[in-house]
Amino acid sequence: MKIHIIGSGPAGMYFAILMKQADSAHEITTYERNGPDDTFGWGVVFSGKTLAALSQADEPSHAEITRDFEAWDNVDVVHRGQKISIHGNSFSGIARLRLLKILQRRCEELGVSVNFHRGIADVDALRLDCDLLIGADGVNSLVRESFKQYFQPDLSSRPNKYIWYGTNQLFHGLTLTFRKTRAGVFAAHSYKFDQTTSTFIVECDPQTWTNAGFTEKSDEETRAYLAAVFAPDLKGHPLLSNNSKWINFVLVKNGRWSFENVALLGDALHTAHFSIGSGTKLAMEDAIALKQCFDETTDVSMALHRFEKVRRPVIEDYQAVAYESMVWFENARQYMHLDPLGLAYSLMTRSKRIDYETLKRRDPAFIAAYESSGIKA
Ligand SMILES: Cc1cc2nc3c(=O)[nH]c(=O)nc-3n(C[C@H](O)[C@H](O)[C@H](O)COP(=O)(O)OP(=O)(O)OC[C@H]3O[C@@H](n4cnc5c(N)ncnc54)[C@H](O)[C@@H]3O)c2cc1C
């Protein structure tokens, strides 16, 4: 089969690896507009369950990915300067760039034709030149846009603003920090992803953003302002920018998942709010699911229909959980009256995926402290 893949993020490269590994006769070419060392962002996280799926799908890349992983089992909630730790939530982090380099090396080792600095402008020309065209071109997908009458995308830009920084202050565990200022409430999502660096995402509602005057602030001034807001947490470490800009989260859904020989994967197909840390996981699991459909049939149209049938319910479930989580953060201001234990409980149960019983099983000490405090979240 001749396969073209637009986008060399986790979805595109992982699908290339799995297909080539299944049949070396596949002629697979990836196209990426950026260079091999360019990246946005800092670290990404995976759950234990995702790692088991990656191990089954391709052990060599799994072994590399897990070699230098930073693993933790706690979520820390910081409110009014007090830290509450909730255990039993196992996650691991890795630098996005490191993950991409591992996938890139594995593609090359298997004989995938990997092209960087090759932005695609004419999607249709590429489509006509192959048996299967994959749009793994991220949240602003040109493939989706080019065939929007078929994919019927539903894109909604959410009200909160967020910005993705790094820092050398090490946050052991997923740390959710709330700081109330005169402008409003700022939340930071942070976690260590290697020996020296943590991801540090700051999120706030539009009122807080306007009150803080960010429209008038340069990138440097913004960074300094936010470092001051989180000074007690950063402990003297600056925030590190990677061309970091304020953005609004875009919730992506598609009415149809494929069109003739074209399929979307990863963020091009769906997004889930970053507060549940699952974008990369979903992108790579999409690749696994689509490859499994091609194990069952070589008929492209049948495989793509099967992919939608098996994968859509899984994605819709994740998006439902992520939606609740996103809305909680959009309304964070209204939870600030809770004391630290009450806020931690409200946060942990925000998406209804984790309830009282789950928390009691995972961390009985936390539930005992919560109950003895006599608060109802
Ligand atoms: C603030 C923030 C925090 C996040 N935190 C996490 C986290 O903790 N854990 C997690 O798992 N995920 C996280 N994510 C999500 C994660 O980054 C994405 O969900 C994931 O990268 C999706 O993979 P992808 O391959 O679908 O798309 P991408 O990684 O976006 O890759 C798409 C690629 O396509 C390329 N491209 C686009 N158009 C073209 C074109 N026309 N021609 C050629 N190439 C093109 C782009 O350059 C890009 O390299 C976060 C995202 C954000 C914004």
Side-chain angles (χ1 to χ4, degrees):
M1 200 161 35
K2 185 171 180 184
I3 306 172
H4 287 314
I5 301 176
I6 306 182
S8 292
M13 281 202 285
Y14 204 52
F15 183 66
I17 290 168
L18 300 184
M19 290 301 281
K20 193 71 180 171
Q21 177 224 53
D23 185 349
S24 59
H26 289 319
E27 201 186 306
I28 306 178
T29 312
T30 63
Y31 302 91
E32 169 57 49
R33 67 179 169 202
N34 290 330
D37 296 313
D38 301 344
T39 189
F40 68 88
W42 301 89
V44 297
V45 297
F46 292 115
S47 67
K49 211 165 138 198
T50 305
L51 293 175
L54 298 186
S55 165
Q56 270 205 330
D58 183 53
E59 184 46 36
S61 55
H62 167 264
E64 279 266 303
I65 291 169
T66 48
R67 211 179 50 202
D68 298 328
F69 245 25
E70 292 297 321
W72 64 82
D73 100 318
N74 56 308
V75 173
D76 289 350
V77 177
V78 181
H79 177 43
R80 297 181 191 160
Q82 191 184 333
K83 181 166 87 178
I84 307 289
S85 290
I86 306 102
H87 293 274
N89 309 283
S90 97
F91 272 99
S92 320
I94 186 172
R96 176 178 158 94
L97 181 58
R98 184 162 153 63
L99 172 69
L100 294 181
K101 292 301 260 185
I102 291 169
L103 298 181
Q104 187 189 320
R105 270 201 306 278
R106 182 78 178 126
C107 275
E108 285 163 351
E109 181 183 293
L110 289 166
V112 172
S113 167
V114 177
N115 295 281
F116 287 100
H117 301 294
R118 286 285 302 276
I120 299 299
D122 187 348
V123 177
D124 207 37
L126 216 56
R127 175 177 84 86
L128 298 172
D129 176 56
C130 62
D131 301 303
L132 174 66
L133 175 69
I134 299 291
D137 50 347
V139 66
N140 299 313
S141 171
L142 178 65
V143 177
R144 187 184 64 222
E145 178 62 20
S146 302
F147 302 117
K148 64 176 176 212
Q149 68 273 39
Y150 303 104
F151 288 116
Q152 298 163 12
D154 170 8
L155 312 179
S156 74
S157 177
R158 301 300 303 186
N160 270 15
K161 297 276 187 191
Y162 71 93
I163 189 160
W164 199 354
Y165 289 118
T167 176
N168 296 126
Q169 166 65 3
L170 298 180
F171 294 92
H172 305 273
L174 173 63
T175 307
L176 302 166
T177 306
F178 297 85
R179 291 282 164 195
K180 201 169 166 192
T181 69
R182 279 196 8 228
V185 174
F186 290 93
H189 310 240
S190 54
Y191 53 88
K192 170 184 170 187
F193 63 83
D194 66 20
Q195 294 298 309
T196 57
T197 330
S198 299
T199 292
F200 197 89
I201 303 166
V202 181
E203 177 176 12
C204 67
D205 62 42
Q207 191 59 56
T208 303
W209 193 83
T210 306
N211 293 347
F214 288 121
T215 32
E216 266 82 58
K217 288 193 185 352
S218 67
D219 289 357
E220 282 309 298
E221 287 164 342
T222 299
R223 211 149 54 88
Y225 182 102
L226 293 175
V229 168
F230 290 101
D233 314 290
L234 292 167
K235 303 204 167 35
H237 290 281
L239 289 173
L240 309 172
S241 170
N242 181 359
N243 195 21
S244 308
K245 305 276 178 215
W246 286 110
I247 37 183
N248 292 70
F249 175 76
V250 178
L251 181 58
V252 175
K253 297 181 180 186
N254 281 276
R256 289 177 56 193
W257 281 25
S258 63
F259 147 67
E260 295 191 358
N261 62 338
V262 186
L264 302 174
L265 283 188
D267 275 9
L269 182 60
H270 49 69
T271 55
H273 193 247
F274 54 85
S275 55
I276 68 160
S278 60
T280 304
K281 157 212 162 72
L282 292 179
M284 293 176 77
E285 289 176 351
D286 277 359
I288 295 174
L290 182 56
K291 182 265 178 185
Q292 284 171 346
C293 295
F294 280 103
D295 287 342
E296 289 168 23
T297 176
T298 49
D299 182 299
V300 170
S301 169
M302 274 175 64
L304 298 187
H305 282 107
R306 173 113 189 103
F307 173 61
E308 178 168 350
K309 188 156 182 262
V310 297
R311 188 73 180 142
R312 187 189 271 281
V314 179
I315 293 299
E316 286 181 350
D317 254 25
Y318 260 95
Q319 286 191 312
V321 168
Y323 187 85
E324 296 295 335
S325 177
M326 174 181 77
V327 169
W328 193 100
F329 278 95
E330 286 173 0
N331 294 299
R333 193 185 274 261
Q334 80 188 40
Y335 300 107
M336 289 301 110
H337 67 281
L338 294 172
D339 83 353
L341 272 167
L343 188 84
Y345 184 87
S346 172
L347 245 177
M348 292 305 293
T349 53
R350 69 194 183 278
S351 64
K352 322 277 186 286
R353 190 171 50 166
I354 297 176
D355 59 9
Y356 172 89
E357 291 302 330
T358 319
L359 280 175
K360 194 168 178 177
R361 205 173 49 247
R362 288 188 186 176
D363 191 343
F366 166 68
I367 285 298
Y370 171 67
E371 285 184 330
S372 66
S373 72
I375 310 149
K376 289 277 163 283

